[in-house]
Amino acid sequence: MSKRAILYTRVSTDEQALRGYSLSDQIEKLKGYCNIHQIEIAAHFQDDHSAKSFERPEFKKLLEYVKENKNKVDLLLFIKWDRFSRNATESYEMLNKLKKFNIEAQAVEQPLDLNTPENKLMLAFYLASPEVENDRRAMNVSVGMRRAMKQGRWIVKAPMGYENKRDENNKTIIVPDKKAKYIKEAFNSIANGDYTQQQIREKLREDGFYCSKNNFSVLLRNPVYYGKIRIRATKNESEELVKGIHKPLISEEIFYKVQDILEGRMIKNNVAKVHTSRPELPLRGFLKCPRCGRTLTGSASKGRSERYFYYHCYPGCEERVKATVANEKFEEMLKEITIKEEVKHLYREILKSLLENTEGNRKENINEIEAEIKKINERINNIQDKLADNQMNGGDYNSVKQRYDAQLRELAMKKQEATYLSNVVYEQLIFSFSFLENLPYHYAKSPLDVKQRIIGSIYPEKLIFSENQYRTARINEVVKLMCYVNESFPRNEKRQFCQKTKLSHEVRMKGLEPPCRLTPDPKSGAATNYATSACSFKLAANIRFF
């Protein structure tokens, strides 16, 4: 009685085809072998997948066929053992599985009688050789890719905003594509504090730029966009950033500013969440119910001739306020936030003096950082010389080098942060005063999303509207400071400002003066007040979004 066999062929690369491993050549040789040995062909399966594992579509079908035709197949034939598998461990497991179905696996060009113990040594060689070849090829590819990356080439799939191209030497390179403008807009918007990360992503989506939440977050942390390529650490090499040969989409300053914002190292604008798309309900999401404490929502009721808008609580609570009344009273409340001209001039001089002093300290700080960077680079050169002279082994060198690299990265970030401060801040702070002086006008003329950002920046906690008056537990500390001389605040009989205001009936305010007095600088004689300085910078951070 003749034996029955399943034929299995596999090819995964053009290189294998050049070696005579093409599918047509394999099947021709297998059929010839069966004809000579009078073996009946039961089925034929062929794969075009890698043999690193048995997770191959056709091989899975082969196993299903074996289960359905138990004891009806005697042999599994293939050309060579590397057609069967390139993973020695999984190969032995699969041979045992086939043996349970009484099927013998055999390579017709590398035949082995596995009943002879010595032949198992040859089997081990045949199975291990392809795996070693795979590992060596993978290592060579990895080394080649790492070498190309150290030369500044992006050698994998281009990141969003770029596309893969070839240069004049037919080497891989990435160039900006039509999505590059969206990447620039995303970084600039976050750096400016215009919107939250989610709001920016949604806005870009409306413009035609699609990116998942997770991918968008990863994108914002990729140094490739300011012209650097991150090379991951290996067992023998530490992680490093190299300058890429591609065109950057943003500056290094903007990139690190965005990183600071994402990591919470920089004060971000108190950007309010957009709670509604109805311009009639700008305060929706910012009001708290005076009865139950929940956040009020808003909606319209249809009258005989028009629609009427209300801020109201949820079912079970009867709180309901006309939106026109609440909106009008809010704008009246904004008119109380004003600054006297003499106070503005005073702050101009104080801030100018502070910035001049800070500029000197900033330059001194940068010089100190650069000196420390130079010192560490000298130490790195020193340990490299010791390694070359066999005075230090490779393990010790890598350990010390990684420590120095970490210090260099930290110093580079500190230097970048120190570079941010410039005289432009002065103009931004002056603009902030102008903004507060004309706050009701800016609010009235602003679109809905800007109105809600104004509300969220000035009032970080929920407002309560009750008996035609507003109450809030807290207002922005900088706004409180700027309103110190506002005539709309009540005075007592001694013409001193009272510590209570109808802006807040819930919390007793400490007053709006800075917590420490202005004192002359012992060197320059300039008045300094670090509390005032901190508040001023916070003012710019909270209000600079127009």
Side-chain angles (χ1 to χ4, degrees):
M1 181 179 178
S2 63
K3 293 185 177 181
R4 302 180 79 243
I6 297 174
L7 306 186
Y8 180 71
T9 56
R10 186 188 65 79
V11 64
S12 61
T13 65
D14 294 337
E15 184 269 336
Q16 287 173 322
L18 292 175
R19 291 183 180 178
Y21 288 163
S22 68
L23 292 173
S24 58
D25 184 71
Q26 291 179 55
I27 190 61
E28 182 179 345
K29 289 180 179 180
L30 290 173
K31 286 182 177 180
Y33 179 87
C34 291
N35 185 44
I36 293 173
H37 294 85
Q38 297 182 349
I39 298 175
E40 180 185 349
I41 299 175
H44 172 218
F45 297 90
Q46 65 180 33
D47 263 316
D48 58 358
H49 284 64
S50 169
K52 292 181 180 179
S53 75
F54 284 98
E55 292 298 316
R56 308 169 221 157
E58 288 300 310
F59 202 91
K60 289 182 177 180
K61 292 180 181 179
L62 185 156
L63 293 176
E64 289 298 323
Y65 180 85
V66 168
K67 293 176 182 178
E68 293 173 0
N69 295 272
K70 190 174 182 180
N71 297 324
K72 294 181 181 180
V73 179
D74 305 293
L75 299 169
L76 172 61
L77 300 179
F78 36 86
I79 295 296
K80 292 186 177 182
W81 285 100
D82 64 352
R83 302 301 88 206
F84 178 65
S85 176
R86 285 178 171 265
N87 186 314
T89 303
E90 290 192 8
S91 295
Y92 285 114
E93 293 177 359
M94 185 56 66
L95 289 174
N96 289 330
K97 183 180 292 187
L98 293 171
K99 190 174 181 180
K100 292 179 180 179
F101 290 98
N102 297 318
I103 295 177
E104 177 187 351
Q106 193 61 262
V108 298
E109 291 187 358
Q110 295 172 331
L112 291 173
D113 182 3
L114 298 181
N115 293 319
T116 304
E118 288 76 12
N119 282 343
K120 292 182 179 180
L121 292 175
M122 286 302 299
L123 175 63
F125 173 78
Y126 286 144
L127 293 176
S129 294
E131 185 172 4
V132 171
E133 183 183 352
N134 267 354
D135 292 345
R136 171 53 60 185
R137 185 184 299 114
M139 182 179 295
N140 291 340
V141 170
S142 178
V143 170
M145 291 174 64
R146 196 171 184 87
R147 185 186 304 115
M149 291 174 69
K150 286 186 176 181
Q151 295 172 354
R153 294 187 179 277
W154 186 276
I155 40 76
V156 292
K157 183 181 178 181
M160 202 169 290
Y162 288 95
E163 59 181 333
N164 295 101
K165 293 287 186 180
R166 294 275 177 176
D167 61 13
E168 61 276 7
N169 298 317
N170 199 34
K171 292 186 176 181
T172 58
I173 191 172
I174 55 174
V175 297
D177 63 8
K178 59 183 180 180
K179 294 182 179 179
K181 62 180 181 180
Y182 300 116
I183 305 296
K184 294 179 184 178
E185 183 179 348
F187 275 96
N188 288 326
S189 295
I190 290 182
N192 293 333
D194 293 339
Y195 299 92
T196 64
Q197 182 175 324
Q198 180 62 17
Q199 287 172 344
I200 293 170
R201 191 175 72 87
E202 291 176 354
K203 181 178 181 298
L204 294 178
R205 182 180 179 86
E206 293 175 359
D207 295 337
F209 178 74
Y210 299 94
C211 185
S212 69
K213 184 177 181 180
N214 182 65
N215 288 341
F216 191 65
S217 181
V218 171
L219 176 154
L220 293 171
R221 291 170 170 82
N222 194 338
V224 71
Y225 294 112
Y226 81 93
K228 295 292 182 72
I229 294 177
R230 178 182 286 116
I231 302 178
R232 302 293 182 185
T234 64
K235 183 178 180 180
N236 299 318
E237 295 183 67
S238 59
E239 181 180 296
E240 60 179 310
L241 283 177
V242 299
K243 184 177 181 181
I245 62 174
H246 61 280
K247 180 181 179 181
L249 300 184
I250 59 171
S251 68
E252 183 175 356
E253 178 182 352
I254 289 178
F255 177 81
Y256 278 107
K257 189 172 183 180
V258 169
Q259 304 318 298
D260 285 340
I261 291 175
L262 296 178
E263 298 299 328
R265 289 188 293 266
M266 179 177 289
I267 297 175
K268 295 179 285 188
N269 294 350
N270 184 20
V271 182
K273 180 179 179 182
V274 177
H275 297 280
T276 181
S277 59
R278 300 294 312 203
E280 298 88 352
L281 300 170
L283 292 164
R284 180 180 178 182
F286 295 97
L287 298 177
K288 184 167 70 173
C289 179
R291 303 189 188 194
C292 66
R294 288 184 291 182
T295 300
L296 297 183
T297 184
S299 62
S301 296
K302 188 174 181 180
R304 293 183 178 180
S305 58
E306 58 182 311
R307 293 165 64 85
Y308 299 93
F309 290 86
Y310 293 88
Y311 297 111
H312 57 84
C313 201
Y314 293 88
C317 181
E318 298 180 356
E319 182 64 22
R320 185 179 180 87
V321 179
K322 287 185 178 180
T324 52
V325 175
N327 296 341
E328 181 182 344
K329 292 295 181 181
F330 181 79
E331 294 189 27
E332 289 180 5
M333 185 170 64
L334 289 182
K335 293 177 182 179
E336 298 178 3
I337 304 176
T338 59
I339 307 173
K340 274 190 173 181
E341 191 67 25
E342 56 267 28
V343 172
K344 184 172 70 173
H345 290 315
L346 173 63
Y347 268 78
R348 281 177 186 266
E349 295 304 315
I350 293 174
L351 291 174
K352 189 174 181 180
S353 175
L354 284 170
L355 288 172
E356 287 175 354
N357 294 335
T358 305
E359 181 68 10
N361 294 334
R362 182 182 67 86
K363 290 180 179 179
E364 183 179 348
N365 187 28
I366 291 176
N367 290 336
E368 291 176 355
I369 293 173
E370 289 177 343
E372 187 65 24
I373 290 174
K374 182 179 179 181
K375 186 187 298 183
I376 293 177
N377 282 324
E378 289 174 353
R379 291 175 180 172
I380 291 175
N381 291 334
N382 185 36
I383 64 172
Q384 288 174 343
D385 291 339
K386 287 185 177 180
L387 180 66
D389 295 336
N390 293 323
Q391 297 178 11
M392 176 182 285
N393 61 47
D396 290 341
Y397 169 80
N398 289 327
S399 176
V400 176
K401 178 71 163 50
Q402 289 179 10
R403 176 162 56 86
Y404 285 154
D405 286 342
Q407 292 176 3
L408 285 175
R409 286 195 295 271
E410 184 178 355
L411 288 170
M413 185 172 294
K414 287 182 178 179
K415 180 181 177 181
Q416 188 67 34
E417 291 174 351
T419 307
Y420 291 150
L421 185 61
S422 67
N423 290 332
V424 177
V425 177
Y426 176 72
E427 282 75 17
Q428 293 173 350
L429 291 171
I430 296 303
F431 169 80
S432 299
F433 292 118
S434 173
F435 172 82
L436 281 177
E437 283 184 307
N438 301 283
L439 184 57
Y441 172 81
H442 286 302
Y443 179 84
K445 297 296 183 181
S446 296
L448 177 63
D449 63 325
V450 176
K451 282 185 176 181
Q452 294 196 315
R453 281 155 52 204
I454 291 174
I455 300 169
S457 295
I458 298 177
Y459 302 101
E461 297 182 4
K462 302 293 184 184
L463 294 158
I464 296 178
F465 185 71
S466 178
E467 299 178 356
N468 283 344
Q469 282 192 332
Y470 275 99
R471 293 183 291 158
T472 178
R474 182 168 60 91
I475 67 173
N476 184 290
E477 294 296 326
V478 180
V479 176
K480 288 166 59 178
L481 180 63
M482 297 301 101
C483 293
Y484 173 62
V485 293
N486 193 327
E487 292 293 351
S488 64
F489 285 92
R491 298 172 182 264
N492 59 22
E493 294 179 357
K494 297 182 180 181
R495 298 295 294 163
Q496 295 174 334
F497 290 101
C498 297
Q499 293 181 332
K500 294 184 178 181
T501 168
K502 67 179 180 180
L503 286 178
S504 175
H505 289 269
E506 293 183 343
V507 179
R508 182 177 181 271
M509 299 168 62
K510 294 182 179 180
L512 303 175
E513 68 279 0
C516 56
R517 295 181 299 173
L518 295 175
T519 55
D521 184 83
K523 295 182 179 180
S524 63
T528 59
N529 184 330
Y530 292 102
T532 305
S533 174
C535 289
S536 300
F537 282 111
K538 187 175 179 183
L539 174 68
N542 277 275
I543 300 182
R544 185 176 54 79
F545 45 64
F546 292 95

